[in-house]
């Protein structure tokens, strides 16, 4: 049985807008040529997904041990021979690749846990659906909100069919590799979960979109919530562990 190991403490959530009809081309190139070289450079490719509601959107996650390792790993990969060989082919599929959020785990125990090896290529073993719920705030996410979510809201979601994969908040570190932009000034809490199918997701959806006023001291709700319904690709490490 494959052992689960904690994923990186610094995580990028990357959403690429692609030219119409080019998503499968990018996925095939990415998984054939670009996965292993990134790992060799010191990154952890956590997962890659098709956005089920946006046919021209490719979503993926990668992680780093810290921001200095991020600087070195990205420099080694993007300055190395593999990217130079395939960058024109990869970039030809993309309209925009700058939608990137820098994150760290909301709590020590809410980091991703991943298999220590890539999964077998068996689509039947992957969860039917991975959901990322992005909650945007007007200021840094408060400890009270995190406590409320993890102690009260998350158990309700689990009882209704959600398998928690991890939760994260914005990381405000300076971008150590400016050649790749990050979305700055965002205050976001993101919760990732796996579902057996859309029926289970539809039961949980209201709990991730509606936020009551709690007690006499109002808990500021998110300003807005964005939902990503994601299908793991054949070689995505995240999304296979809970199958």
């Amino acid at each position: 049985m494959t052992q689960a190991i904690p994923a990186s403490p610094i995580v990028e959530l990357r959403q690429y807008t692609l030219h119409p009809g080019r998503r499968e081309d990018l996925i095939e190139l990415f998984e054939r040529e670009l996965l292993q070289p990134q790992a060799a450079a010191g990154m952890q490719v956590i997962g890659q997904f098709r956005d089920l509601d946006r046919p021209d959107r490719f979503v993926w996650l990668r992680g780093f041990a810290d921001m200095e390792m991020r600087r070195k790993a990205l420099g080694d990969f993007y300055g190395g021979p593999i990217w130079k060989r395939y960058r024109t082919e990869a970039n030809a599929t993309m309209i925009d690749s700058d939608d990137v959020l820098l994150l760290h785990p909301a709590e020590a125990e809410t980091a991703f846990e991943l298999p220590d090896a890539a999964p077998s290529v068996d689509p039947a073993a992957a969860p039917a659906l991975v959901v990322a719920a992005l909650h945007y705030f007007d200021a840094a996410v408060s400890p009270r909100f995190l406590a409320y979510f993890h102690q009260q809201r998350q158990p309700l979601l689990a009882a209704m069919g959600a398998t928690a994969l991890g939760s994260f908040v914005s990381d405000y570190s300076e971008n150590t590799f400016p050649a790749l932009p990050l979305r700055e000034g965002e205050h976001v809490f993101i919760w990732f979960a796996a579902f057996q199918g859309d029926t289970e997701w539809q039961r949980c959806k209201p709990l991730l979109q509606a936020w009551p006023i709690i007690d006499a001291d109002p808990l500021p709700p998110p300003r807005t919530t964005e939902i990503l319904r994601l299908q793991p690709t054949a070689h995505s490490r995240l999304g296979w562990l809970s199958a």
Side-chain angles (χ1 to χ4, degrees):
M1 184 174 180
T2 304
Q3 182 181 2
I5 57 173
S8 307
I10 295 291
V11 171
E12 294 176 347
L13 171 60
R14 310 186 64 86
Q15 300 186 62
Y16 289 2
T17 300
L18 308 179
H19 292 287
R22 299 303 307 275
R23 183 162 68 184
E24 295 309 310
D25 296 334
L26 178 60
I27 290 172
E28 193 279 331
L29 174 65
F30 189 96
E31 299 197 331
R32 187 188 76 236
E33 303 292 352
L34 304 178
L35 273 177
Q36 292 305 319
Q38 289 185 82
M43 307 177 224
Q44 187 176 52
V45 181
I46 295 167
Q48 51 276 4
F49 309 90
R50 299 172 181 90
D51 187 323
L52 292 176
D53 297 309
R54 303 168 184 87
D56 299 321
R57 186 72 66 91
F58 173 64
V59 179
W60 63 297
L61 296 143
R62 68 179 169 192
F64 308 88
D66 53 42
M67 292 302 288
E68 175 57 25
M69 177 56 74
R70 178 178 179 272
R71 182 196 65 77
K72 182 179 185 305
L74 293 177
D76 288 348
F77 175 73
Y78 289 104
I82 298 299
W83 180 244
K84 289 179 180 178
R85 184 182 308 166
Y86 294 107
R87 64 186 177 190
T88 300
E89 184 179 353
N91 288 334
T93 68
M94 303 176 195
I95 295 173
D96 177 71
S97 60
D98 293 345
D99 186 347
V100 183
L101 290 169
L102 189 68
L103 310 167
H104 64 252
E107 310 281 357
E109 64 273 17
T110 67
F112 293 128
E113 290 190 349
L114 301 172
D116 57 6
S120 301
V121 182
D122 180 8
L129 182 64
V130 170
V131 167
L134 289 70
H135 306 293
Y136 292 92
F137 291 81
D138 291 324
V141 182
S142 72
R144 284 188 65 228
F145 179 88
L146 296 178
Y148 166 73
F149 183 87
H150 291 129
Q151 296 171 15
Q152 299 187 45
R153 190 61 64 96
Q154 186 169 311
L156 291 176
L157 291 161
M160 298 172 73
T163 299
L165 299 175
S167 62
F168 296 81
V169 294
S170 295
D171 189 281
Y172 302 114
S173 299
E174 181 180 356
N175 188 354
T176 52
F177 195 77
L180 292 185
L182 299 170
R183 286 170 56 185
E184 298 182 351
E186 300 283 9
H187 310 290
V188 64
F189 168 72
I190 306 180
W191 190 66
F192 294 85
F195 296 86
Q196 291 303 310
D198 200 61
T199 299
E200 289 76 14
W201 157 238
Q202 291 300 330
R203 287 202 299 263
C204 294
K205 185 177 180 179
L207 288 177
L208 287 170
Q209 292 182 315
W211 299 93
I213 294 176
I214 302 169
D215 302 324
D217 181 14
L219 184 68
R223 168 173 43 84
T224 187
T225 293
E226 177 186 8
I227 300 294
L228 306 180
R229 295 192 315 123
L230 306 172
Q231 179 188 66
T233 66
H235 295 279
S236 176
R237 294 173 70 188
L238 186 70
W240 292 70
L241 186 61
S242 61

